Amino acid sequence: MTTGDQLHVGSLHRYPVKSMLGEALPTLVVSYEGAEGDRRLALIDAETGRVASAKQARLWRNLLRCTARIDGERVRVRLPDGTEVSPGEDDFDDALSAVVARPVRVATRRPAGASLERADPEQVLDRGLDAVVDAPLLELGEATPGDSFVDLAPLHVITTATLERIGTEALRYRPNIVVATPPGYPAYTENDWTERTFAVGSAQIKGMGATPRCVIPTLEHGDLGRATHALRTPAAENLVDSFGLGRLPCAGAYFEVVSEGVVNAGDPFSQALT
């Protein structure tokens, strides 16, 4: 049971296929590799061998029109026309290739050196979604054990205070844990959580740094339209020196798992005693 002024888990999320919409859950099992079932699959560009990510909106933004969920032992993907397919079915790769208009294959584990193109988000907003822009390569999962397709860290956490300040939906930032905050709680407090350990459910997690934002939050997500302010607002209000990459617009924070456990919606989110 939580009290009105406590930080607590407002909602829990996982995204079984990278860059697709995911599912909200009442309970999340958390291991050193991150949330169970999160970013466990990805599409691989058959031409380049790179991981398909809506960070390169010109090629992959239609992935955000698909929704992935885990049904028992199977991942189910709902396509934009409402049909469902699963990895392992004969037509899965063909169906997803049709959605993105580019040949792709599904991967079930992150290969060594897996990378994706991270298009410069300001250039995308300035020049348009189909413009060819600078797109440096990002190697995946460098701070995460195992073989999931997370960008960097096992978990991503964001507060409702930050979301309310920016004025957008949590799903645009693809968090695992949304921390519900009391009235008057300051936005962007996640900046201050680096190296701090928090108890949540039976797990303990440690802040790694503020999460730099790409173009994805500004894109259409399912039935949600464009939202350029999802990047413009943190760019104006919350530039942070992030992971040695320079001062970048940030919202939320990355976390590592220091003690595995189970997290439930409503659990307190509190600094662990050391």
Side-chain angles (χ1 to χ4, degrees), residues 159-208:
T159 64
T160 56
T162 294
L163 294 170
E164 290 164 4
R165 173 66 184 179
I166 297 170
T168 193
E169 303 86 356
L171 68 85
R172 292 188 181 276
Y173 296 112
R174 307 176 66 75
N176 299 114
I177 301 174
V178 177
V179 176
T181 57
Y185 195 85
Y188 309 121
T189 299
E190 302 95 318
N191 297 350
D192 303 326
W193 289 350
T194 304
E195 298 299 323
R196 292 173 60 184
T197 300
F198 290 83
V200 55
S202 58
Q204 289 194 352
I205 62 177
K206 184 178 180 181
M208 298 174 64

Side-chain angles (χ1 to χ4, degrees), residues 231-250:
L231 181 62
R232 295 293 195 201
T233 300
E237 298 181 345
N238 195 48
L239 292 176
V240 179
D241 289 322
S242 182
F243 295 95
L245 301 173
R247 289 175 61 78
L248 296 173
C250 291

Side-chain angles (χ1 to χ4, degrees), residues 93-229:
D93 289 355
D94 289 342
L96 270 298
S97 295
V99 169
V100 297
R102 193 172 177 90
V104 295
R105 58 179 173 82
V106 68
T108 58
R109 57 193 317 140
R110 185 180 79 237
S115 65
L116 56 79
E117 293 180 342
R118 187 186 192 275
D120 183 290
E122 288 294 335
Q123 291 183 19
V124 174
L125 293 187
D126 290 343
R127 302 179 192 177
L129 295 179
D130 292 312
V132 176
V133 302
D134 295 338
L137 295 182
L138 171 69
E139 186 170 340
L140 296 179
E142 291 187 291
T144 300
D147 53 19
S148 73
F149 291 90
V150 294
D151 285 346
L152 175 70
L155 294 173
H156 175 222
V157 179
I158 197 167
T159 64
T160 56
T162 294
L163 294 170
E164 290 164 4
R165 173 66 184 179
I166 297 170
T168 193
E169 303 86 356
L171 68 85
R172 292 188 181 276
Y173 296 112
R174 307 176 66 75
N176 299 114
I177 301 174
V178 177
V179 176
T181 57
Y185 195 85
Y188 309 121
T189 299
E190 302 95 318
N191 297 350
D192 303 326
W193 289 350
T194 304
E195 298 299 323
R196 292 173 60 184
T197 300
F198 290 83
V200 55
S202 58
Q204 289 194 352
I205 62 177
K206 184 178 180 181
M208 298 174 64
T211 306
R213 305 316 327 186
C214 62
V215 76
I216 286 179
T218 73
L219 303 176
E220 294 181 1
H221 283 62
D223 295 331
L224 295 178
R226 295 287 308 281
T228 58
H229 68 283

Side-chain angles (χ1 to χ4, degrees), residues 23-24 30 41 54-55 76 124 132 173 178-179 191 207 234 251 253 255 266 271:
E23 55 185 343
V30 172
L41 304 178
K55 287 179 173 58
R76 302 290 293 171
V124 174
V132 176
Y173 296 112
V178 177
V179 176
N191 297 350
F255 277 77
Q271 189 158 359

